[in-house]
Amino acid sequence: FIAVIAAHALTYMATLALVWPMHGQKGWRVACQQAAHSTNIVVIIEGLLLLVLRFLARHMILYSELAHAFVKEIMYLDLLEVNVDLAVAAAAMDRVVGTALKAVAVIGFAAFAVWLRELTFI
């Protein structure tokens, strides 16, 4: 979420600095519209990354023998001996990623609404 805030602030300030001399008062609107657009792009990218993580949490970790083989060969640890259940880990990761997806969706809808609002004023 820091990336969203940073992208929004940097885009707004840079656009305002470049547009203000040419457009005057309208520069505020152009800067706000451009910042909302860049925020939408960052939110879309974060959302896609979270969807990939959710897919991995649901399928790759839970059903993969690769995770067991990796831990056994690299870390010299048998997950079954120490009672580590990958199903529980996958469910926990799915809950965390699901919550993050909901937060990204809320930010995305808000940024999209601001972008549409600013489009009507330009």
Side-chain angles (χ1 to χ4, degrees), residues 18-91:
L18 294 172
V19 173
W20 182 264
M22 293 187 302
H23 297 287
Q25 283 295 90
K26 197 174 182 181
W28 294 98
R29 293 283 185 194
V30 173
C32 189
Q33 192 270 338
Q34 184 64 32
H37 179 73
S38 69
T39 302
N40 282 331
I41 298 299
V42 171
V43 166
I44 288 169
I45 291 170
E46 283 185 358
L48 290 174
L49 288 174
L50 287 171
L51 284 174
V52 168
L53 280 176
R54 190 171 198 174
F55 174 79
L56 289 175
R58 286 188 172 180
H59 296 91
M60 300 296 284
I61 293 175
L62 187 58
Y63 300 112
S64 178
E65 289 296 319
L66 184 63
H68 286 282
F70 172 78
V71 171
K72 193 170 191 174
E73 294 294 322
I74 302 299
M75 299 175 69
Y76 305 108
L77 181 68
D78 189 10
L79 292 177
L80 299 175
E81 286 180 8
V82 293
N83 295 327
V84 173
D85 190 8
L86 287 181
V88 174

Side-chain angles (χ1 to χ4, degrees), residues 1-14 35 38-39 42 46:
F1 299 117
I2 294 172
V4 173
I5 294 169
H8 188 81
L10 289 174
T11 304
Y12 183 79
M13 289 185 289
S38 69
T39 302
V42 171
E46 283 185 358

